């Protein structure tokens, strides 16, 4: 039986996500937007709850295509608030549209959202050495800077704690516990990481 980060030992869904995605450096803009939406949706909830609704989000939010999401009207947003396949929080749902607009503006200015995003860690994943998950910070100077910039760009549900969870998820920081079987894979991926184009 392989060793995993403590948080990923409670369900098969969390284990699968941990083993395949969490902490691996990502540069695909669509996937980066997906995680931005999901991390915002998690606020006040468990990550397991979000993972259980991930397919619902993909179905109802056009597979996280910001170019389509920006055209959602009030009627559709009201429908989403009644759909149990996602987290039915009015503010969180509205934030997806608002954040899609800001996301597209950043893409247009920088050539890709990935290029903009990775500049906050000098285009190199941060390598931490976590012995105990309880020692992982809720936020860092980098997540605070990212949060401030995303808010200035017009986004919501992007506080520094959410931003740090986002950075962990997309591999901007390797917070796998050193005893975890995924630690080395994410460390090596970070060492060979290429600056986003």
């Amino acid at each position: 039986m392989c060793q995993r980060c403590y948080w990923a030992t409670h369900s098969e869904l969390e284990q699968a996500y941990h083993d395949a995605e969490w902490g691996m450096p990502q540069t695909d803009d669509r996937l980066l937007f997906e995680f931005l939406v999901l991390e915002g949706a998690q606020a006040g909830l468990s990550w397991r709850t979000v993972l259980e609704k991930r397919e619902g989000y993909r179905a109802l939010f056009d597979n996280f295509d910001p170019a389509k999401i920006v055209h959602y009207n009030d009627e559709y947003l009201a429908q989403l608030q009644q759909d149990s396949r996602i987290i039915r929080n009015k503010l969180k749902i509205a934030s997806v549209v608002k954040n899609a607009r800001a996301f597209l503006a950043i893409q247009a200015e920088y050539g890709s959202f990935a290029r903009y995003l990775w500049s906050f860690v000098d285009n190199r994943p941060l390598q931490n050495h976590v012995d105990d998950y309880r020692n992982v910070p809720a936020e860092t100077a980098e997540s605070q800077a990212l949060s401030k910039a995303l808010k200035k760009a017009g986004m919501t549900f992007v506080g520094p704690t959410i931003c740090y969870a986002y950075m962990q998820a997309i591999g901007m920081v390797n917070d796998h516990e050193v005893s975890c079987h995924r630690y080395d894979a994410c460390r090596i991926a970070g060492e060979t990481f290429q600056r986003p184009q």
Side-chain angles (χ1 to χ4, degrees), residues 25-57:
Q26 304 294 340
T27 59
D28 177 78
D29 272 13
R30 192 215 58 80
L31 188 61
L32 293 176
F33 185 69
E34 175 174 351
F35 275 107
L36 191 67
V37 171
L38 295 177
E39 292 293 349
Q42 185 199 0
L45 302 169
S46 72
W47 185 241
R48 182 177 176 178
T49 298
V50 174
L51 288 177
E52 288 171 348
K53 294 183 180 292
R54 191 176 188 182
E55 290 306 317
Y57 273 91

Side-chain angles (χ1 to χ4, degrees), residues 34-125:
E34 175 174 351
F35 275 107
L36 191 67
V37 171
L38 295 177
E39 292 293 349
Q42 185 199 0
L45 302 169
S46 72
W47 185 241
R48 182 177 176 178
T49 298
V50 174
L51 288 177
E52 288 171 348
K53 294 183 180 292
R54 191 176 188 182
E55 290 306 317
Y57 273 91
R58 285 176 172 161
L60 295 171
F61 286 94
D62 287 293
N63 199 32
F64 298 98
D65 184 344
K68 293 180 179 178
I69 292 170
V70 293
H71 297 293
Y72 289 178
N73 59 30
D74 290 342
E75 182 181 355
Y76 186 62
L77 296 180
Q79 290 175 22
L80 291 175
Q81 291 173 45
Q82 307 305 316
D83 200 311
S84 62
R85 289 178 287 174
I86 63 169
I87 294 160
R88 295 176 288 181
N89 178 294
K90 182 178 181 179
L91 294 177
K92 289 179 180 180
I93 290 169
S95 79
V96 178
V97 179
K98 187 172 186 179
N99 291 357
R101 289 191 194 102
F103 185 94
L104 291 175
I106 290 169
Q107 261 188 342
E109 182 175 351
Y110 290 88
S112 74
F113 187 76
R115 181 182 295 174
Y116 168 82
L117 188 64
W118 280 93
S119 70
F120 287 88
V121 289
D122 293 326
N123 299 297
R124 178 71 56 188

Side-chain angles (χ1 to χ4, degrees), residues 144-159:
Q144 291 166 359
L146 177 59
S147 172
K148 184 177 179 180
L150 293 179
K151 287 178 180 178
K152 186 177 180 180
M155 291 192 183
T156 56
F157 286 93
V158 287

